[in-house]
Amino acid sequence: MRVLISADMEGATGVTFPDDCEPGHPRWEYNRQFLTSDVNAAIAGFAAAGADEILVNEAHADQRNLLLDRLDTRATLLIGTHKPLGMMEGIDREPDAVAFVGYHTGAGQPGVLAHTYLPNTITSVRVNGEPASEGLMNALLAAEYGVPVVLVTGDDLCCEDARSWAPTAAHAVVKTCVDRYSAICLPPEVSAARITEAAAKGLAERPAATGPATPPEGGYTYEVSFDAAHLAPAASYIPGVEQTSALTVCYTLPTMYEAIRCFRALTRVATSAVENCYG
């Protein structure tokens, strides 16, 4: 039984403010222990449910946040930047299940540290007309590989959002959103117990394998909106990406594998066009 854990940080226990998860900041250094604790709690639950191979993929910022010397020894860690599949690196290694630990809601949605890939800059992402968080996109990619999502952890709004794109997964709420930068947080020991219980339940009750999902007819159409008018023209430099309004671009690709990689390229191009003061 092989499990892949995709570990983000904004949805981890105790994380509520940009400094809490900004690499290099003292608060980030402090909160790394809570991210590692959440991941270890998931590992414990999966091991209890029969997993004998657990790969943790670092999925936040430069993807070098987890504390390796504190990682549960029943898992291995895929750490480092420039991974071909980013947050979902390892999904092509034939896991039986995937977990999203420390996730959050998407750009323009309520939720603690809500965003999609970029902290600001992107104000909305829609996939085939539906608001798309990172979780939704990653779940669609997992489905394309035939891998079910069995666990989602994060704030209450993230877990509520996940019920639409991972309805059979177990959900562990580690904090309750007050606004984008504040939450009612559980102590790490309490959230760890919740995560362990949910992980064991999610893996034990995972759906029967049905094979890779077939992409919808017509593929996946992304609509991405920005907070400044110079960014849409910049994003349209990518072949196939068309500007549809002053702030929005659109593209369609036949598979989520292609669509999510194009989205990652789009975020890189947009980031390169952002200026310090005015964005």
Side-chain angles (χ1 to χ4, degrees):
M1 180 68 66
R2 291 189 253 181
V3 178
L4 172 67
I5 297 175
S6 173
D8 205 355
M9 193 169 184
E10 288 88 355
T13 294
V15 173
T16 64
F17 198 74
D19 292 349
D20 293 341
C21 55
E22 183 63 30
H25 195 280
R27 289 290 302 180
W28 164 79
E29 190 66 56
Y30 172 72
N31 281 283
R32 294 173 73 191
Q33 64 182 315
F34 302 136
L35 170 63
T36 306
S37 174
D38 284 4
V39 168
N40 282 343
I43 294 168
F46 290 137
D52 46 32
E53 185 176 323
I54 302 170
L55 175 64
V56 180
N57 178 42
E58 260 272 11
H60 175 67
D62 62 2
Q63 300 170 11
R64 298 183 299 152
N65 307 276
L66 284 164
L67 299 169
L68 181 59
D69 60 339
R70 299 189 191 180
L71 188 71
D72 190 313
T73 56
R74 291 171 290 190
T76 54
L77 180 61
L78 202 174
I79 191 167
T81 57
H82 306 303
K83 301 167 188 166
L85 287 175
M87 298 181 77
M88 291 297 284
E89 189 65 30
I91 196 66
D92 56 350
R93 294 173 178 261
E94 300 184 346
D96 299 292
V98 62
F100 298 162
V101 173
Y103 269 52
H104 51 82
T105 53
Q109 300 173 352
V112 177
L113 294 170
H115 70 284
T116 305
Y117 275 59
L118 304 181
N120 291 299
T121 307
I122 290 175
T123 60
S124 171
V125 180
R126 302 181 77 85
V127 175
N128 289 350
E130 297 296 325
S133 61
E134 294 167 9
L136 182 144
M137 291 190 285
N138 292 343
L140 289 173
L141 181 63
E144 202 162 86
Y145 281 88
V147 182
V149 180
V150 297
L151 173 68
V152 179
T153 81
D155 75 1
D156 57 321
L157 299 182
C158 170
C159 290
E160 181 180 325
D161 178 52
R163 297 188 192 285
S164 67
W165 44 260
T168 62
H171 306 108
V173 175
V174 303
K175 55 196 171 190
T176 300
C177 176
V178 174
D179 66 20
R180 195 182 186 205
Y181 299 127
S182 59
I184 300 170
C185 297
L186 295 174
E189 295 82 359
V190 178
S191 60
R194 283 193 180 187
I195 292 170
T196 296
E197 180 181 3
K201 180 178 185 291
L203 188 59
E205 298 178 359
R206 75 190 187 283
T210 57
T214 302
E217 186 176 350
Y220 294 98
T221 297
Y222 268 68
E223 299 169 86
V224 183
S225 296
F226 301 99
D227 62 3
H230 70 291
L231 298 175
S236 70
Y237 297 163
I238 300 171
V241 176
E242 298 182 0
Q243 184 174 355
T244 56
S245 75
L247 298 173
T248 302
V249 296
C250 179
Y251 66 88
T252 300
L253 286 166
T255 66
M256 181 50 63
Y257 173 84
E258 295 167 283
I260 205 168
R261 283 165 60 89
C262 183
F263 180 72
R264 293 182 66 211
L266 183 153
T267 63
R268 294 292 183 93
V269 171
T271 298
S272 71
V274 171
E275 301 297 339
N276 289 334
C277 291
Y278 286 87

